[in-house]
């Protein structure tokens, strides 16, 4: 069953720039869906369309509809979307550097009136992210990049979402931390039954955990399917997975491979 559905959505910034051009995306209940593509393709705009964060950036949906649990959410403001079960981890972590990890987690619980429930949620987060328990009294601004990313995800999970959207969770992390973060994303999806919509430029890591994926170029979906199908596609391999064959650029005067999805 579909949890989140975008149908033929267009997004315009400043009433001029068309950033998203008729995108349709489906996230099933308990699904893990990846959005792949280069910088500026429109991936982050898709997430902001769902979470309701377009308006501060002078963006607006000019066409199409977005439904969550079968309900049209475009007219609902961002805080209400959180209460309905949508949470968005922005690119760059955005933790409160002057607060401790525990205080960061508490800051996300304004919707919960039961203090015992908040304490239980915090314990669950510290069990999921043991490093945060060890650094619970440190200022978040002094945590490592990986620890801050864990804190951002844990803070989002404090809202008990049905869908968590992650924007470039591996950005700026060492390879061993990337593996750890993606293992956590897989556990969130399988153990806590939270659907995940993942924006990621590290296509290899994203396709390792995702069930399905969409490839976005210039604001349009140019390919979608299971992770296995996209991983096996030679154009995806050449453009995003390091290539499948070496090209002798000295043997040709001009080399330009036309991507099949643009043919």
């Amino acid at each position: 069953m579909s949890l989140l559905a975008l149908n033929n959505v267009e997004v315009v910034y400043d009433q001029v720039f068309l950033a998203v051009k008729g995108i349709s995306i489906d996230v099933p209940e308990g699904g893990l869906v990846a959005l792949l593509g280069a910088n500026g393709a429109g991936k982050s705009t898709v997430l902001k369309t769902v979470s309701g964060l377009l308006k501060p950036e002078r963006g607006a949906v000019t066409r199409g509809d977005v439904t969550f649990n079968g309900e049209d959410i475009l007219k609902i403001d961002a805080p209400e979307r959180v209460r309905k079960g949508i949470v968005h981890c922005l690119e760059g972590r955005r933790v409160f550097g002057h607060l401790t990890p525990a205080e960061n987690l508490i800051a996300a619980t304004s919707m919960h009136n039961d203090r015992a429930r908040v304490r239980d949620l915090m314990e669950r987060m510290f069990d999921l992210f043991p490093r945060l328990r060890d650094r619970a009294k440190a200022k978040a601004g002094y945590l490592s990049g990986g620890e801050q990313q864990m804190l951002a995800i844990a803070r989002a999970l404090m809202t008990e979402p049905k869908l968590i959207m992650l924007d470039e969770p591996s950005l700026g992390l060492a390879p061993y931390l990337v593996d750890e973060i993606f293992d956590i994303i897989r556990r969130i999806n399988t153990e806590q039954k939270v659907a995940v919509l993942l924006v990621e430029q590290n296509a290899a890591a994203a396709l390792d955990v995702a069930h399905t994926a969409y490839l976005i170029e210039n604001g349009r979906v140019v390919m979608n399917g299971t992770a296995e199908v996209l991983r096996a596609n030679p154009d995806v391999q050449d453009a995003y997975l390091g290539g499948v064959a070496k090209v002798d650029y000295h043997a040709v005067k001009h080399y330009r491979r036309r991507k099949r999805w643009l043919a």
Side-chain angles (χ1 to χ4, degrees), residues 125-146:
M125 292 306 106
F126 286 141
D127 288 341
L128 184 61
F129 303 94
R131 291 193 190 192
L132 298 184
R133 188 189 297 277
D134 296 338
R135 304 295 304 277
K137 295 183 179 179
K139 297 295 185 184
Y142 292 102
L143 301 182
S144 70

Side-chain angles (χ1 to χ4, degrees), residues 34-38 43 168 170 178 182 198-210 213-215 227 230-231 236-237 239-242:
L35 301 184
L36 310 178
K43 307 183 303 297
E168 301 284 2
S170 73
V178 172
F182 276 92
L198 171 67
V199 161
E200 184 56 62
Q201 287 197 54
N202 187 337
L207 291 174
D208 279 344
V209 298
Y214 293 78
L215 179 59
L230 265 72
R231 191 186 295 112
V236 173
Q237 291 177 351
Y240 298 99
L241 300 176

Side-chain angles (χ1 to χ4, degrees), residues 170-186:
S170 73
L171 185 66
L173 301 184
Y176 78 95
L177 284 175
V178 172
D179 292 341
E180 187 172 350
I181 290 295
F182 276 92
D183 182 60
I184 290 169
I185 292 170
R186 184 187 289 109

Side-chain angles (χ1 to χ4, degrees), residues 88-220:
H88 184 180
C89 279
L90 295 166
E91 180 182 343
R93 302 162 196 137
R94 313 288 182 93
V95 299
F96 302 121
H98 62 292
L99 301 180
T100 66
E103 291 167 341
N104 267 271
L105 297 182
I106 292 173
T109 61
S110 60
M111 64 179 64
H112 302 316
N113 297 321
D114 186 347
R115 291 186 178 181
R117 185 180 181 187
V118 171
R119 287 195 298 270
D120 179 62
L121 284 170
M122 289 183 64
E123 282 302 311
R124 285 166 55 187
M125 292 306 106
F126 286 141
D127 288 341
L128 184 61
F129 303 94
R131 291 193 190 192
L132 298 184
R133 188 189 297 277
D134 296 338
R135 304 295 304 277
K137 295 183 179 179
K139 297 295 185 184
Y142 292 102
L143 301 182
S144 70
E147 290 167 343
Q148 288 186 6
Q149 186 62 69
M150 293 175 192
L151 178 57
I153 296 173
R155 185 179 60 188
L157 292 174
M158 290 292 287
T159 66
E160 296 186 292
K162 298 174 184 175
L163 169 70
I164 182 170
M165 300 188 296
L166 303 170
D167 196 348
E168 301 284 2
S170 73
L171 185 66
L173 301 184
Y176 78 95
L177 284 175
V178 172
D179 292 341
E180 187 172 350
I181 290 295
F182 276 92
D183 182 60
I184 290 169
I185 292 170
R186 184 187 289 109
R187 289 178 57 195
I188 289 169
N189 178 246
T190 57
E191 296 175 10
Q192 301 193 21
K193 309 301 181 185
V194 177
V196 179
L197 182 56
L198 171 67
V199 161
E200 184 56 62
Q201 287 197 54
N202 187 337
L207 291 174
D208 279 344
V209 298
H211 306 150
T212 58
Y214 293 78
L215 179 59
I216 299 176
E217 283 203 355
N218 299 318
R220 292 186 173 91

